[in-house]
Structures are given as C-alpha cells and as structure tokens.
Amino acid sequence: MFRKKSIIVGRSAHRFAWFVLLLEESMDSLKQGWFSEVNDLWPGMSLSLEVQEVLHKEKSSFQDIMVLQTKSHGKALILDGIIQCTESDEFAYQEMISFLPLCCHPSPKRVLIVGGGDGGVAREVAKHPGVEQIDQVEIDSQVIEVSKKYLPSMAVGFTHPKLSLHVEDGFKFMQQHEQAFDVVITDSSDPIGPAVSLFQESYFTLMRRALRPGGIVCSQGGTVWANAEHVAQTLAHCKATFPSAAYAFATVPTYPTGQIGFVLGSMNEENNFKDPVRSFSEAELESMQLRYYTSDIHRAAFTLPRFAQKILASSSSTNASDRNNNPGDL
C-alpha cells in the first residue's frame, strides 16, 4: 500500500495501478461520476470518490497527473491512478510524517525532504520553530506546478523562506551531501518499478550517510492491514541500518484501510521514539495551526495492535540483527 506523492527517481508512466471513472453520458467532460482506485498492492478493495469535475489531466515525463474536484473531500491529487492526497484529510499525513521525526530530535536545524511534490510536508516542517533550513528534492516539476495552481493550501510550503527547492533526482542529491542533515523525510511513491529502491536497505544506508550525528530518518511506510510483508521488510531494512528503529501510524480516511504508516530510524541508539523530546503547549499547537499532531497522538502512534506487533517483530528478527531497540520499538 505504500503510496504518496510524486516519485523521487524515474519510473515508467504506466504502473500496475489502474483506475476507473464512471461517467454520465458526456463526450466532452466529466460532469459527475466516480473515481475508483484499484491496485494490486491492496487486492480485493477499492476506495471510490464521487467526482464533480476533472480540473486537470496531463502526462508528465514521469507519470499521469490528475486533479479532481470531489463532492465531499475537496480537491484530490491523483498520480498514476493512485490517490495522493485530498483537501479534507491531507493534514493528518503531512503533520505526522513531519512532526514525528522533528519532535524526536533535540535540535532539528536542517531538514531534507525527498519527494513531497504537493508542498504539504514542506508546509508542516517549516512550522517547527527549531528548523532553520529545509532542502526539498522533487524530480517531477509538473507535480509542483499543478499543486501550486490547484492545491495552494499545500503548495504554500514552497513559498516559505526556510525552503530551498531542488528539481532533481533525490539519490544524486543525497550522494552529494554527506553528514548534512539532522532529519531526512522521504515522502515516496509505491514500492513498484524503480521506486522499489526507496524501500531497500541501500536507500536507508544512503540516508544514514546524509545524516549528521544523532540524525533521524522518517519514510512513508504503508499499512499493516493490506501490506504487512512490505511494512515488515522495510522496517527490517531500517533496523539493519540504524541503531534504533520503529514503526508508527496515522489515520487518513482516503488511503486504503484508512491508515498510513511511518518507518523511523535514528543514529542515536538511546532514542525512544515513543517519547517526544519536544512538546508543544495548546497555544503553540494553535499558533502552528496543527489539526492532528499532539504529544499524546505522537505517543499513541507507536502503540500497535497485537497482530501487527507479532508480524513486524517476527519478520524483523529473521531479516535483521537484534539491535536492542527500545521496549516500545518493534
């Protein structure tokens, strides 16, 4: 189920994902109908959104891009037939993938975002008062431009003075920046085609090389409800690379199974991801306009149901050495 955002490295324009639009009888435009997301990564299930209008549709050098005006979820960004975000619930994902790692680091001054072409993660990272510099690497310039036009509430992240935006390959960028970042956030696409490499141990090794001492990584990590094997394998790669690793999740209704996960790794073996080192008062949360993240939500995100604990722990033990992680980590 791994999903989200524009790709970081090149991939073919057509993927296993395919989509269906049920149209009213009209040859020229979509007046009213349904968008259904169907993908082999979450077999036997499909999420459908009622559509009022197709606002934009094009094929970039990397993928099919579509923006839909939905009836109940605002505008939706679709890449290669997969829902990347909707205006109604995008804040949950953006806040959690940003503030989980940021609040686990004592001083996250410089942050790298890999992917995140809609600007939402940049918007959230810029809110953290400790962050001084943000570098974002996104390969598909068209996703950026489409988001600026149709999703300004997310694309506002691109205008923040802390941000330097680089339209290039994320792998090459990181190879040129050794021990440069306190936090690396990977807002990636699905683990099929060339994007598979973003979930391999070699990618976690590359991120580790780009981190300063004590640095933290956070990658989009799928859902145990539909892709437990993929989640467990990605967590195992992270554990094999970092002294401390963990998996957390958030609720996002328009993602398959209504959940999305995050794989975190830390260069500090004593890091306890469950307990944020930086907490915000209610006044601070309000001033930052956070709608999902709180310190309590942070702690709860790492509390997994028993079946998930068993699956991830079992897979990790067979694929990675025991690194004496914190009791709350898998």
Side-chain angles (χ1 to χ4, degrees), residues 272-317:
N272 184 354
F273 290 105
K274 277 190 172 183
D275 293 324
V277 297
R278 174 67 185 266
S279 297
F280 299 106
S281 67
E282 183 61 31
E284 289 174 314
L285 293 172
E286 192 66 27
S287 67
M288 290 189 289
Q289 297 182 318
L290 296 185
R291 302 166 62 191
Y292 191 98
Y293 180 88
T294 66
S295 295
D296 287 340
I297 286 291
H298 181 120
R299 297 184 185 95
F302 293 91
T303 302
L304 305 180
R306 187 165 178 267
F307 85 92
Q309 292 182 28
K310 293 179 69 175
I311 292 172
L312 299 186
S314 174
S315 179
S316 295
S317 65

Side-chain angles (χ1 to χ4, degrees), residues 42-196:
W42 40 93
M45 66 178 74
S46 173
L47 174 70
S48 296
L49 298 174
E50 189 171 3
V51 177
Q52 293 178 320
E53 184 181 0
V54 175
L55 299 176
H56 183 86
K57 187 174 183 180
E58 70 168 282
K59 180 178 292 185
S60 74
S61 300
F62 303 98
Q63 58 206 323
D64 292 316
I65 303 171
M66 187 162 57
V67 180
L68 305 176
Q69 180 65 56
T70 71
K71 185 174 182 178
S72 58
H73 291 78
K75 297 184 186 71
L77 174 64
I78 316 293
L79 299 181
D80 282 345
I82 298 178
I83 299 169
Q84 306 301 306
C85 55
T86 71
E87 288 181 311
S88 70
D89 59 15
E90 55 85 13
F91 63 91
Y93 176 88
Q94 321 283 14
E95 290 182 18
M96 290 295 277
I97 199 172
S98 301
F99 279 88
L100 284 176
L102 291 176
C103 290
C104 284
H105 195 291
S107 182
K109 293 183 178 180
R110 188 176 183 188
V111 178
L112 172 64
I113 302 169
V114 184
D118 57 39
V121 174
R123 178 195 68 197
E124 298 305 322
V125 171
K127 293 177 181 179
H128 193 287
V131 173
E132 298 176 356
Q133 181 178 349
I134 306 168
D135 289 278
Q136 180 167 355
V137 189
E138 165 62 57
I139 200 171
D140 196 338
S141 62
Q142 285 306 107
V143 174
I144 297 172
E145 294 308 312
V146 168
S147 297
K148 286 180 179 178
K149 181 175 181 179
Y150 295 101
L151 300 166
S153 64
M154 284 177 267
V156 66
F158 295 129
T159 66
H160 201 281
K162 293 181 182 180
L163 182 76
S164 296
L165 181 61
H166 313 269
V167 181
E168 58 181 279
D169 187 292
F171 274 85
K172 293 180 180 178
F173 185 87
M174 274 195 285
Q175 288 170 349
Q176 299 166 359
H177 294 78
E178 184 174 357
Q179 293 192 354
F181 306 101
D182 298 304
V183 173
V184 176
I185 298 171
T186 303
D187 191 2
S188 66
S189 58
D190 311 283
I192 51 180
V196 167

Side-chain angles (χ1 to χ4, degrees), residues 2 199 221-224 227-239 247 263 308-320 330:
F2 300 80
F199 301 90
T223 170
V224 292
N227 296 106
E229 280 190 25
H230 286 298
V231 175
Q233 191 174 58
T234 305
L235 179 59
H237 293 323
C238 187
K239 281 192 169 188
Y247 176 85
V263 173
Q309 292 182 28
K310 293 179 69 175
I311 292 172
L312 299 186
S314 174
S315 179
S316 295
S317 65
T318 58
N319 289 283
L330 293 174

Side-chain angles (χ1 to χ4, degrees), residues 10-31:
R11 61 178 174 181
S12 61
H14 299 285
R15 298 156 58 191
F16 295 114
W18 58 283
F19 57 90
V20 180
L21 282 170
L22 305 177
L23 310 179
E24 284 191 340
E25 293 184 6
S26 172
M27 298 297 293
D28 300 321
S29 64
L30 174 66
K31 293 182 178 179

